[in-house]
Amino acid sequence: YKNISNHYKHYEEYKKIKSELEIFKTKDLSKQIIMFENIKLKKVIDDYFTTSNETYAKVLLDKESPFLRSIVLNKGSKNGIKKGMIVLDDVYLIGKIVEVNYLTSRVLLASDINSKVPVSIEPIGIQAIMSGNGNQNGIIQYINDESIENKDEDLLVITSGAGSVFNSGIPIGKITVETNLNNKDIVVKFYKDFTQLEYVKVVSNEKQI
């Protein structure tokens, strides 16, 4: 009786373990299926997806544009892109949407000389306007140069939110001690290299209620 009881006990445990193993196999297979579906979906929707109020797009073109410094994205009004929306690379400011077509849109980069971004210089808390210099840097305007002279540390440049053009607190670049020692302009070194952009994030600058 004991032998038979033990046999049934082991058999029941075996069936339980086998059932659990099948469940794990099913879960693993499901993960693989989801992974392959995501890869397939990514190809179908052409490297684009939307999360909440954010749209991710691919950079199609950054040369031969009518602007000094601009890029073209593979998303347009069809995908909810609107003129004036903010463009980021990760959390860093790249520029804003200035032209929207049905399938594409154009971004005016912060490095363009026509770009005007209200900024705050931290940690000293000075408000100013930053424009591009047509290359890969920004230039601080409309402040007294003496206000940042003799600083022995790098200063951070972020959007101030003034004028509701850009959301506040978006990192742009920094004013380094070395860069501005022998320069008549107050130069902002951007965190991102705008010539190496591949994917960007487009977000609304409308305040969420």
Side-chain angles (χ1 to χ4, degrees):
Y1 173 78
K2 288 183 178 180
N3 288 338
I4 294 174
S5 297
N6 288 334
H7 174 75
Y8 277 109
K9 182 178 179 181
H10 289 311
Y11 182 70
E12 291 298 324
E13 290 178 350
Y14 164 76
K15 289 198 300 182
K16 182 179 178 181
I17 293 173
K18 184 179 180 181
S19 176
E20 291 176 347
L21 181 60
E22 289 299 323
I23 292 174
F24 285 129
K25 287 182 178 179
T26 302
K27 288 183 177 180
D28 183 64
L29 179 60
S30 297
K31 289 181 179 179
Q32 292 184 40
I33 292 173
I34 292 172
M35 181 180 68
F36 290 133
E37 285 180 342
N38 285 342
I39 294 174
K40 182 179 179 181
L41 182 61
K42 186 173 183 292
K43 292 180 180 179
V44 170
I45 61 180
D46 191 25
D47 300 312
Y48 157 83
F49 63 98
T50 300
T51 303
S52 182
N53 206 27
E54 302 175 349
T55 300
Y56 290 78
K58 185 176 182 178
V59 176
L60 295 179
L61 179 70
D62 61 359
K63 295 180 180 180
E64 304 300 332
S65 68
F67 298 97
L68 290 177
R69 289 291 180 269
S70 69
I71 56 175
V72 174
L73 306 182
N74 69 336
K75 300 303 162 217
S77 59
K78 174 186 176 182
N79 313 107
I81 303 297
K82 298 179 181 179
K83 187 176 179 180
M85 294 181 86
I86 301 170
V87 181
L88 308 174
D89 183 2
D90 194 6
V91 299
Y92 303 104
L93 181 69
I94 299 302
K96 68 175 180 178
I97 302 292
V98 293
E99 180 182 330
V100 181
N101 297 314
Y102 185 64
L103 296 176
T104 62
S105 55
R106 185 177 295 279
V107 180
L108 182 69
L109 298 176
S111 57
D112 192 300
I113 61 175
N114 297 306
S115 175
K116 304 294 181 184
V117 183
V119 299
S120 178
I121 302 173
E122 302 298 340
I124 55 180
I126 293 178
Q127 306 295 303
I129 298 293
M130 184 198 75
S131 68
N133 67 353
N135 293 311
Q136 288 301 313
N137 294 308
I139 301 296
I140 296 296
Q141 300 178 329
Y142 310 121
I143 67 170
N144 187 346
D145 293 357
E146 295 179 356
S147 59
I148 65 170
E149 285 182 351
N150 302 319
K151 299 296 180 183
D152 56 359
E153 61 179 354
D154 293 346
L155 301 174
L156 306 181
V157 179
I158 61 175
T159 55
S160 66
S164 300
V165 179
F166 296 92
N167 296 340
S168 62
I170 303 174
I172 302 172
K174 58 185 177 180
I175 301 172
T176 64
V177 177
E178 295 80 6
T179 303
N180 289 279
L181 281 177
N182 300 310
N183 199 317
K184 64 178 182 179
D185 295 319
I186 303 174
V187 177
V188 178
K189 185 177 181 181
F190 295 128
Y191 286 121
K192 289 293 182 176
D193 184 351
F194 295 167
T195 65
Q196 301 298 315
L197 298 174
E198 186 175 4
Y199 294 91
V200 294
K201 178 170 62 176
V202 184
V203 300
S204 172
N205 60 349
E206 296 177 357
K207 293 183 179 179
Q208 301 298 315
I209 299 176

